[in-house]
């Protein structure tokens, strides 16, 4: 609707209307002149003028009060409730989304209250809060439940309205609902039970980051002090196994609190020393032979080198994708707990016949198998691969990949037998097979397709 009337519906301009307006003006002037003469020449003229002025002021005041009461206050006046048509409609209940927010506020009383009030104005619920003190200011890390229709830009703007700066935001999930002390205790327990858990525990503690473990070479001084170093988005800690653990998170600088937590986890691993889960499984292969599968470490180095001597050059080349002479050099790296987990398959006579590796490769996870020639095509590689995939799922990995050659049909068949969605990338004879993992695989522990029977001693 509009206040303007279309031209074809407007009344026409007429001379009789002009005459009527002029006549009314003359009449009003004459009446005003008569009243003025009466007031001026009468005995109560001044009193009458004052009374008239008071009556006019009283009438104007009553009109203003009535207008404001009905919601028609003039612009620029005192604040009053808006008319019903101008009030925003209440938000309807709908889906919500979880967010992790980190923002920097001033270190003074009332700053956190102002941030909470600004978020509450957008119907945002704060589920958890952690504070990271800085030299100047405080970093507040919040777990938020917000209306699903609320855009990330709206949340960032609300934090700025509440005094927050350098705001970082990302989607969260139900796993983030665990409170921080409980989560840290769980990570410490995992690290205490298994040294291979340290890189995973650090990644879960610090979120999306890249963790690299660089071994210390002989005759080389340790470049990292015992207490570690921290510079913005890069941490460097001394690895208890020797060497350096480097943690990088370019999108979000670390805080002193995070550095202290990471250093405490590494110190726990150092105090506990070398250790390895003692569990082993005895498997009966379809042909009736029994093999024992257990975790391997540097104590299996001699047996692994002896297996290398029994493997053909073609088998070693398919596994290490390089010169056969480099195979022994890789073993110390592969058996180290900082780079992943290794499973070993031993015969009843104590002979190592296969190795399966689960390697932490930044944000990715690689699986690799080496089976002695005489034990290939007998189900050993499939058994190891199934357990490696289950371990990757339990560790929270979203996918694993295997690098092989197009001629290695055994590895391709083992990946296909997992029953998982696979992606293939083929380039110049090299095949990269990526499997997307599902939580159900971790609950099974080992793949449901395996035919061998297992028992724990």
């Amino acid at each position: 609707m509009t206040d303007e009337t279309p031209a074809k519906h407007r009344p026409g301009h007429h001379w009789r209307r002009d005459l009527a307006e002029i006549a009314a003006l003359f009449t009003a002037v004459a009446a005003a002149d008569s009243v003025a003469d009466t007031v001026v020449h009468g005995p109560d003229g001044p009193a009458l003028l004052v009374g008239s002025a008071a009556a006019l002021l009283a009438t104007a005041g009553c009109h203003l009060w009535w207008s404001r009461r009905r919601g028609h206050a003039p612009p620029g006046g005192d604040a009053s409730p808006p008319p019903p048509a101008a009030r925003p409609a209440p938000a309807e209940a709908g889906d919500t989304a979880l967010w992790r927010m980190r923002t920097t506020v001033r270190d003074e009383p009332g700053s956190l209250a102002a941030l909470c009030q600004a978020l509450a104005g957008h119907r945002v619920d704060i589920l958890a809060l952690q504070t990271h003190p800085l030299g100047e200011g405080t970093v507040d890390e919040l777990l938020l439940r917000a209306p699903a229709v609320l855009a990330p830009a709206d949340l960032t703007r609300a934090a700025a309205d509440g005094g927050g700066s350098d705001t970082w935001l990302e989607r969260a999930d139900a796993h983030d609902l665990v409170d921080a002390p409980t989560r840290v205790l769980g990570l410490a327990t995992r690290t205490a039970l298994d040294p291979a858990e340290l890189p995973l525990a650090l990644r879960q503690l610090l979120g999306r980051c890249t963790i690299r473990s660089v071994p210390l070479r002989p005759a080389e001084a340790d470049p990292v002090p015992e207490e570690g170093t921290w510079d913005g988005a890069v941490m460097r800690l001394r690895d208890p196994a020797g060497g350096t653990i480097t943690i990088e998170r370019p999108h979000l600088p670390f805080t002193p609190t995070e550095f202290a937590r990471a250093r405490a986890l590494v110190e726990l691993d150092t105090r506990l020393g070398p250790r390895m889960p003692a569990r082993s499984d005895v498997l009966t292969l379809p042909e009736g032979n029994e093999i024992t599968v257990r975790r391997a470490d540097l104590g299996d180095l001699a047996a692994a080198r002896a297996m290398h001597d029994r493997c053909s050059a073609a088998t070693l080349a398919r596994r290490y994708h390089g010169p056969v002479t480099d195979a022994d050099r890789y073993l110390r790296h592969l058996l180290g707990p900082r780079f992943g987990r290794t499973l070993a398959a031993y015969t009843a006579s104590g002979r190592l016949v296969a190795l399966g590796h689960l390697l932490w490769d930044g944000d990715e996870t690689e699986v690799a198998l080496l089976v002695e020639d005489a034990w290939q095509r007998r189900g050993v590689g499939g058994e190891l691969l199934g357990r490696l995939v289950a371990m990757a799922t339990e560790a929270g990995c979203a996918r694993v990949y295997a690098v092989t050659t197009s001629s290695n049909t055994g590895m391709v068949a083992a990946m296909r037998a997992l029953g998982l969605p696979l992606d293939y990338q083929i380039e110049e004879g090299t095949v990269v097979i990526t499997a997307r993992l599902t939580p159900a695989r971790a609950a099974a522990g080992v793949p449901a397709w395996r035919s061998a029977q297992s028992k724990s001693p």
Side-chain angles (χ1 to χ4, degrees):
M1 295 180 62
T2 177
D3 293 334
E4 296 182 359
T5 304
K8 65 179 181 179
H9 296 297
R10 292 176 183 170
H13 187 73
H14 202 276
W15 60 273
R16 287 177 294 185
R17 181 177 178 180
D18 293 339
L19 291 178
E21 291 177 354
I22 294 174
L25 178 61
F26 286 167
T27 303
V29 171
D33 183 72
S34 176
V35 172
D37 289 341
T38 303
V39 171
V40 172
H41 299 289
D44 299 323
L48 183 59
L49 287 175
V50 174
S52 300
L56 290 173
L57 290 175
T59 303
C62 291
H63 177 72
L64 180 62
W65 171 81
W66 182 253
S67 298
R68 290 184 176 179
R69 182 179 180 184
R70 298 191 61 181
H72 298 288
D78 296 337
S80 60
R87 294 179 183 173
E92 297 180 358
D95 295 337
T96 60
L98 294 176
W99 294 91
R100 288 179 59 208
M101 173 184 285
R102 181 174 290 196
T103 187
T104 303
V105 299
R106 297 184 303 275
D107 188 11
E108 60 185 36
S111 58
L112 178 58
L115 176 62
C116 295
Q117 185 175 4
L119 293 172
H122 292 267
R123 304 178 64 84
V124 176
D125 187 17
I126 300 177
L127 304 178
L129 169 66
Q130 296 184 62
T131 58
H132 301 253
L134 302 176
E136 295 181 359
T138 300
V139 174
D140 288 338
E141 185 173 350
L142 307 100
L143 179 63
L144 308 175
R145 177 181 285 122
V149 296
L150 198 61
D154 297 329
L155 285 171
T156 303
R157 192 178 305 112
D161 294 340
S165 61
D166 299 329
T167 300
W168 168 84
L169 193 69
E170 76 171 3
R171 291 297 294 267
D173 56 28
H175 297 90
D176 294 307
L177 293 174
V178 180
D179 66 297
T182 301
R183 182 160 55 92
V184 172
L185 286 173
L187 296 178
T189 301
R190 291 177 55 178
T191 304
L193 294 175
D194 190 344
E197 291 285 343
L198 180 61
L200 298 176
L202 290 171
R203 183 174 299 164
Q204 293 189 18
L205 176 68
L206 303 172
R208 290 187 296 113
C209 61
T210 301
I211 300 177
R212 297 184 178 89
S213 185
V214 181
L216 184 65
R217 295 181 176 86
E220 182 182 41
D222 197 328
V224 180
E226 185 176 355
E227 64 276 9
T229 62
W230 159 58
D231 182 14
V234 179
M235 289 186 200
R236 302 179 73 227
L237 302 169
R238 181 177 293 184
D239 191 340
T244 303
I245 299 176
T246 302
I247 310 171
E248 298 180 1
R249 193 175 64 187
H251 67 281
L252 186 64
F254 296 112
T255 64
T257 302
E258 290 176 315
F259 176 62
R261 291 173 179 173
R263 192 170 58 184
L265 272 180
V266 174
E267 183 179 355
L268 173 65
D269 185 87
T270 303
R271 290 181 176 275
L272 292 175
R275 60 205 180 280
M276 186 62 61
R279 176 181 174 177
S280 61
D281 292 335
V282 178
L283 312 177
T284 302
L285 299 177
E287 60 186 23
N289 295 323
E290 287 189 350
I291 60 172
T292 300
V293 177
R294 62 171 176 81
R295 289 281 298 278
D297 57 13
L298 290 174
D300 299 277
L301 182 59
R305 285 175 174 169
M307 185 183 69
H308 275 184
D309 295 337
R310 298 190 299 269
C311 290
S312 65
T315 294
L316 294 177
R318 283 195 298 265
R319 166 60 187 90
Y320 296 107
H321 314 290
V324 177
T325 54
D326 292 340
D328 288 350
R329 183 170 57 86
Y330 292 142
L331 280 175
R332 181 174 294 275
H333 171 89
L334 294 173
L335 295 175
R338 290 293 175 265
F339 304 97
R341 301 174 184 173
T342 299
L343 293 179
Y346 281 87
T347 64
S349 61
R351 177 177 173 178
L352 178 63
V353 296
L355 288 173
H357 305 288
L358 186 69
L359 303 173
W360 317 132
D361 182 16
D363 293 334
E364 303 292 334
T365 306
E366 181 183 1
V367 289
L369 297 173
L370 175 63
V371 182
E372 186 179 327
D373 293 63
W375 286 83
Q376 294 178 7
R377 311 287 181 177
R378 299 169 71 173
V380 180
E383 291 288 344
L384 295 181
L385 182 61
R387 281 167 169 73
L388 293 174
V389 169
M391 293 164 66
T393 307
E394 292 173 354
C397 302
R399 56 181 59 86
V400 297
Y401 71 91
V403 181
T404 185
T405 61
S406 56
S407 61
N408 190 358
T409 57
M411 187 64 181
V412 175
M415 291 292 290
R416 293 181 61 185
L418 291 172
L420 296 172
L422 300 179
D423 296 327
Y424 298 86
Q425 293 182 357
I426 304 175
E427 184 176 354
E428 297 181 355
T430 300
V431 181
V432 180
I433 309 174
T434 302
R436 296 192 297 274
L437 307 184
T438 59
R441 187 67 62 187
V446 293
W449 47 263
R450 69 178 180 85
S451 58
Q453 302 298 317
S454 65
K455 56 185 177 181
S456 299

